[in-house]
Amino acid sequence: MSDNIVDRLTAQLRQMAADFEIRPEERIIEGAMAKRLAASRTPLREALNRLVSEGYMTFTAGQGFFCRALTPEQILDLYEARAAVECEGLRLAMQRTEAADIAGVLEELDASEPIYERTSDRLTRLEMDEDFHMSLIRLARNAELERMLSNINGRIRYVRMIGLNMGPDGGSSSRMTEHRDILEAMWAGHADHALAALRAHIEMRKEDATEAVRNAFSQIYVRAS
């Protein structure tokens, strides 16, 4: 079996699951999916097993593979995991990074901020926001934390994208201000301030998770119809 084929199928299915092109808890009909992706069932099954290990799919003996569920509890779990990963990354970054590295992320923020505030495209905003947080965690110089954050980002991506346009400007101005506050605290060497700002920036309450899931479901099923 070619690893390239499995890699391609994994990437395709991961994107479909991240976007809920496959709906929450929908069963994967392997024959139909293999035909849709122009693949045989053996590499498809290997790709699905990979996505089970990544948290995008589940497997039930005797029933098969299913797209992951979408519940407020699961979204809260992922946001708590995201906060833990990013805050640990920032703590390590404060010990390991150089001022020039922080300055580089500040320069990236300066360049992206006008584009972020000008665009109304949710995907563009989401990608730019993810890029900022990935740049931040790279300062920790820990490949495993970077890998974990990338996985979490993919699994909350759809919910976040729906939420980015809530409010009159999608929260763009406040989000950019919060990014800058985190970096400026790091630049000044104020670790406690930077950590508190980062945690406040990414934490989610139970009520917010419930609303985010409600909005996501409305978009998923309206789009499907």
Side-chain angles (χ1 to χ4, degrees):
M1 186 192 312
S2 169
D3 286 342
N4 288 337
I5 294 173
V6 177
D7 290 344
R8 173 181 67 83
L9 292 172
T10 302
Q12 286 180 290
L13 287 163
R14 185 188 295 115
Q15 190 64 54
M16 292 167 72
D19 293 342
F20 284 113
E21 187 176 338
I22 309 169
R23 289 182 287 181
E25 301 184 82
E26 180 180 343
R27 184 182 174 209
I28 309 301
I29 308 301
E30 291 184 36
M33 185 62 73
K35 184 175 181 180
R36 179 177 178 181
L37 299 182
S40 64
R41 293 179 67 166
T42 300
L44 175 69
R45 194 170 295 117
E46 175 61 28
L48 289 167
N49 277 313
R50 287 187 186 181
L51 293 173
V52 169
S53 70
E54 292 181 14
Y56 287 93
M57 299 283 175
T58 61
F59 178 78
T60 302
Q63 297 182 50
F65 295 94
F66 295 80
C67 188
R68 73 197 191 282
L70 178 60
T71 67
E73 291 75 21
Q74 289 179 328
I75 294 300
L76 268 179
D77 286 349
L78 286 167
Y79 268 85
E80 288 172 356
R82 180 188 174 199
V85 167
E86 291 209 48
C87 287
E88 177 61 13
L90 190 146
R91 188 188 68 80
L92 292 174
M94 294 297 294
Q95 299 172 5
R96 298 174 178 177
T97 198
E98 303 291 335
D101 298 321
I102 300 172
V105 182
L106 273 167
E107 288 176 6
E108 292 173 6
L109 186 63
D110 288 339
S112 64
E113 190 170 23
I115 302 169
Y116 189 100
E117 293 184 346
R118 188 167 58 245
T119 186
S120 60
D121 182 75
R122 287 184 294 191
L123 181 57
T124 299
R125 282 184 171 179
L126 178 60
E127 288 174 343
M128 294 175 75
D129 188 78
E130 287 177 347
D131 286 346
F132 169 80
H133 286 275
M134 293 305 297
S135 293
L136 200 62
I137 205 161
R138 287 188 191 103
L139 298 179
R141 297 183 171 87
N142 184 303
E144 285 303 309
L145 288 178
E146 186 177 336
R147 179 187 61 79
M148 285 190 282
L149 180 58
S150 180
N151 174 270
I152 292 168
N153 281 343
R155 291 163 65 192
I156 61 175
R157 200 162 210 252
Y158 192 83
V159 169
R160 290 200 64 221
M161 186 169 68
I162 297 301
L164 278 176
N165 268 13
M166 301 302 291
D169 69 346
S172 61
S173 297
S174 63
R175 191 167 289 108
M176 290 292 100
T177 300
E178 290 166 4
H179 287 178
R180 191 170 298 280
D181 187 32
I182 294 163
L183 285 173
E184 289 180 350
M186 293 179 70
W187 176 264
H190 298 156
D192 289 345
H193 182 166
L195 280 166
L198 178 61
R199 186 172 292 280
H201 175 63
I202 63 182
E203 280 189 332
M204 177 177 276
R205 300 176 306 158
K206 171 76 172 180
E207 297 82 0
D208 296 330
T210 301
E211 183 65 17
V213 168
R214 184 181 297 117
N215 288 329
F217 266 114
S218 70
Q219 293 290 324
I220 290 165
Y221 287 96
V222 166
R223 183 184 62 190
S225 64

Short mmCIF file of all heavy atoms in Angstrom, two decimals, residues 4-7 11 25 35 39-40 42 65 67 73 87 91 100-101 108 110 115 129 131 147 149 168 217 225:
data_model
loop_
_atom_site.label_atom_id
_atom_site.label_comp_id
_atom_site.label_asym_id
_atom_site.label_seq_id
_atom_site.Cartn_x
_atom_site.Cartn_y
_atom_site.Cartn_z
N ASN A 4 1.75 7.41 0.13
CA ASN A 4 1.27 8.65 -0.48
C ASN A 4 -0.25 8.63 -0.64
O ASN A 4 -0.92 9.66 -0.44
CB ASN A 4 1.92 8.87 -1.85
CG ASN A 4 3.38 9.27 -1.73
OD1 ASN A 4 3.80 9.78 -0.69
ND2 ASN A 4 4.15 9.02 -2.78
N ILE A 5 -0.81 7.49 -1.00
CA ILE A 5 -2.26 7.38 -1.16
C ILE A 5 -2.95 7.55 0.19
O ILE A 5 -3.93 8.29 0.32
CB ILE A 5 -2.63 6.02 -1.80
CG1 ILE A 5 -2.11 5.95 -3.23
CG2 ILE A 5 -4.15 5.83 -1.78
CD1 ILE A 5 -2.28 4.59 -3.87
N VAL A 6 -2.42 6.88 1.21
CA VAL A 6 -3.01 6.99 2.54
C VAL A 6 -2.89 8.42 3.06
O VAL A 6 -3.84 8.95 3.64
CB VAL A 6 -2.35 5.99 3.52
CG1 VAL A 6 -2.93 6.16 4.92
CG2 VAL A 6 -2.55 4.57 3.03
N ASP A 7 -1.74 9.04 2.82
CA ASP A 7 -1.55 10.44 3.24
C ASP A 7 -2.56 11.35 2.56
O ASP A 7 -3.14 12.24 3.19
CB ASP A 7 -0.14 10.92 2.90
CG ASP A 7 0.93 10.27 3.77
OD1 ASP A 7 0.58 9.68 4.81
OD2 ASP A 7 2.12 10.34 3.40
N ALA A 11 -5.56 13.42 4.49
CA ALA A 11 -5.69 14.88 4.39
C ALA A 11 -7.07 15.27 3.88
O ALA A 11 -7.69 16.22 4.40
CB ALA A 11 -4.61 15.43 3.46
N GLU A 25 -21.46 12.74 13.80
CA GLU A 25 -21.96 11.40 14.08
C GLU A 25 -22.47 10.67 12.84
O GLU A 25 -23.09 9.61 12.96
CB GLU A 25 -23.02 11.42 15.18
CG GLU A 25 -22.51 12.01 16.50
CD GLU A 25 -23.53 11.95 17.61
OE1 GLU A 25 -23.66 10.89 18.25
OE2 GLU A 25 -24.22 12.98 17.82
N LYS A 35 -15.47 5.31 -3.45
CA LYS A 35 -15.81 5.73 -4.81
C LYS A 35 -15.71 7.26 -4.93
O LYS A 35 -15.18 7.78 -5.93
CB LYS A 35 -17.22 5.27 -5.15
CG LYS A 35 -17.65 5.58 -6.56
CD LYS A 35 -19.03 4.98 -6.86
CE LYS A 35 -19.43 5.26 -8.30
NZ LYS A 35 -20.78 4.69 -8.61
N ALA A 39 -10.61 5.85 -4.55
CA ALA A 39 -9.62 5.04 -3.83
C ALA A 39 -10.20 3.67 -3.54
O ALA A 39 -11.41 3.45 -3.62
CB ALA A 39 -9.24 5.73 -2.52
N SER A 40 -9.33 2.73 -3.22
CA SER A 40 -9.80 1.42 -2.79
C SER A 40 -10.06 1.45 -1.29
O SER A 40 -9.65 2.38 -0.58
CB SER A 40 -8.76 0.34 -3.12
OG SER A 40 -7.57 0.56 -2.40
N THR A 42 -8.98 -0.46 1.18
CA THR A 42 -7.89 -0.74 2.12
C THR A 42 -7.17 0.55 2.55
O THR A 42 -7.03 0.80 3.76
CB THR A 42 -6.89 -1.75 1.53
OG1 THR A 42 -7.59 -2.98 1.25
CG2 THR A 42 -5.75 -2.02 2.49
N PHE A 65 -17.06 3.30 11.09
CA PHE A 65 -16.49 4.61 11.39
C PHE A 65 -17.58 5.69 11.35
O PHE A 65 -18.48 5.64 10.51
CB PHE A 65 -15.40 4.96 10.37
CG PHE A 65 -14.21 4.06 10.43
CD1 PHE A 65 -14.11 2.95 9.61
CD2 PHE A 65 -13.16 4.32 11.31
CE1 PHE A 65 -13.01 2.12 9.65
CE2 PHE A 65 -12.05 3.50 11.38
CZ PHE A 65 -11.97 2.39 10.54
N CYS A 67 -18.13 10.15 11.87
CA CYS A 67 -17.56 11.47 12.12
C CYS A 67 -17.78 11.79 13.60
O CYS A 67 -18.77 11.38 14.21
CB CYS A 67 -18.23 12.53 11.25
SG CYS A 67 -17.42 14.16 11.32
N GLU A 73 -19.89 19.91 25.53
CA GLU A 73 -18.91 19.31 26.42
C GLU A 73 -17.60 19.02 25.69
O GLU A 73 -16.51 19.28 26.23
CB GLU A 73 -19.46 18.00 27.02
CG GLU A 73 -20.60 18.19 28.01
CD GLU A 73 -21.93 18.55 27.33
OE1 GLU A 73 -22.09 18.28 26.12
OE2 GLU A 73 -22.80 19.11 28.03
N CYS A 87 -0.69 27.86 27.00
CA CYS A 87 -0.09 28.50 28.17
C CYS A 87 1.24 27.85 28.54
O CYS A 87 2.19 28.55 28.93
CB CYS A 87 -1.07 28.49 29.35
SG CYS A 87 -2.45 29.65 29.14
N ARG A 91 4.84 29.69 28.56
CA ARG A 91 5.75 29.62 29.71
C ARG A 91 7.15 29.20 29.26
O ARG A 91 8.16 29.79 29.68
CB ARG A 91 5.21 28.62 30.73
CG ARG A 91 5.99 28.59 32.05
CD ARG A 91 5.52 27.46 32.94
NE ARG A 91 5.87 26.15 32.40
CZ ARG A 91 7.09 25.60 32.51
NH1 ARG A 91 8.06 26.28 33.11
NH2 ARG A 91 7.33 24.41 32.01
N ALA A 100 14.60 39.01 19.63
CA ALA A 100 14.45 39.14 18.17
C ALA A 100 13.33 38.26 17.64
O ALA A 100 12.64 38.62 16.67
CB ALA A 100 15.76 38.79 17.48
N ASP A 101 13.11 37.10 18.29
CA ASP A 101 12.03 36.20 17.86
C ASP A 101 10.66 36.82 18.14
O ASP A 101 9.74 36.75 17.33
CB ASP A 101 12.14 34.86 18.57
CG ASP A 101 13.45 34.14 18.24
OD1 ASP A 101 13.87 34.20 17.08
OD2 ASP A 101 14.03 33.53 19.15
N GLU A 108 5.07 40.41 12.13
CA GLU A 108 4.02 39.68 11.41
C GLU A 108 2.64 40.23 11.77
O GLU A 108 1.77 40.37 10.90
CB GLU A 108 4.09 38.19 11.76
CG GLU A 108 5.32 37.47 11.25
CD GLU A 108 5.42 36.04 11.77
OE1 GLU A 108 4.46 35.58 12.44
OE2 GLU A 108 6.44 35.38 11.52
N ASP A 110 1.95 43.29 12.82
CA ASP A 110 1.82 44.61 12.21
C ASP A 110 1.39 44.50 10.74
O ASP A 110 0.57 45.28 10.26
CB ASP A 110 3.16 45.38 12.27
CG ASP A 110 3.51 45.84 13.68
OD1 ASP A 110 2.59 45.95 14.51
OD2 ASP A 110 4.70 46.09 13.93
N ILE A 115 -5.02 43.80 7.20
CA ILE A 115 -5.73 42.85 6.35
C ILE A 115 -6.85 42.19 7.14
O ILE A 115 -7.98 42.05 6.67
CB ILE A 115 -4.76 41.79 5.80
CG1 ILE A 115 -3.64 42.46 5.01
CG2 ILE A 115 -5.51 40.77 4.94
CD1 ILE A 115 -2.50 41.52 4.65
N ASP A 129 -5.69 34.12 12.34
CA ASP A 129 -5.67 33.94 13.78
C ASP A 129 -4.90 32.68 14.15
O ASP A 129 -4.08 32.68 15.09
CB ASP A 129 -7.11 33.86 14.31
CG ASP A 129 -7.16 33.87 15.83
OD1 ASP A 129 -7.01 34.95 16.42
OD2 ASP A 129 -7.31 32.79 16.42
N ASP A 131 -2.55 31.32 12.40
CA ASP A 131 -1.14 31.58 12.11
C ASP A 131 -0.47 32.30 13.28
O ASP A 131 0.67 32.00 13.64
CB ASP A 131 -0.99 32.42 10.84
CG ASP A 131 -1.25 31.63 9.57
OD1 ASP A 131 -1.29 30.39 9.64
OD2 ASP A 131 -1.44 32.26 8.51
N ARG A 147 2.59 20.30 17.50
CA ARG A 147 1.75 19.28 16.86
C ARG A 147 0.39 19.19 17.55
O ARG A 147 -0.65 19.09 16.89
CB ARG A 147 2.46 17.92 16.93
CG ARG A 147 1.67 16.77 16.31
CD ARG A 147 2.35 15.44 16.55
NE ARG A 147 2.46 15.13 17.96
CZ ARG A 147 1.46 14.65 18.70
NH1 ARG A 147 0.26 14.45 18.16
NH2 ARG A 147 1.63 14.38 19.98
N LEU A 149 -1.22 21.54 19.25
CA LEU A 149 -2.05 22.71 18.96
C LEU A 149 -2.62 22.64 17.54
O LEU A 149 -3.78 22.98 17.32
CB LEU A 149 -1.24 23.99 19.13
CG LEU A 149 -2.02 25.28 18.86
CD1 LEU A 149 -3.24 25.38 19.78
CD2 LEU A 149 -1.13 26.50 19.02
N PRO A 168 -20.79 42.90 15.48
CA PRO A 168 -20.79 43.83 14.37
C PRO A 168 -19.57 43.75 13.48
O PRO A 168 -19.63 44.01 12.29
CB PRO A 168 -20.87 45.21 15.06
CG PRO A 168 -20.38 44.98 16.45
CD PRO A 168 -20.81 43.58 16.79
N PHE A 217 -24.36 23.93 14.31
CA PHE A 217 -25.37 22.99 13.80
C PHE A 217 -26.30 23.68 12.80
O PHE A 217 -26.67 23.11 11.78
CB PHE A 217 -26.19 22.41 14.95
CG PHE A 217 -25.66 21.09 15.45
CD1 PHE A 217 -25.14 20.97 16.73
CD2 PHE A 217 -25.70 19.97 14.63
CE1 PHE A 217 -24.65 19.76 17.18
CE2 PHE A 217 -25.21 18.75 15.08
CZ PHE A 217 -24.69 18.64 16.36
N SER A 225 -28.94 21.37 3.31
CA SER A 225 -30.23 21.40 2.63
C SER A 225 -30.21 22.26 1.39
O SER A 225 -31.11 22.21 0.58
CB SER A 225 -31.30 21.92 3.58
OG SER A 225 -31.05 23.26 3.94
#
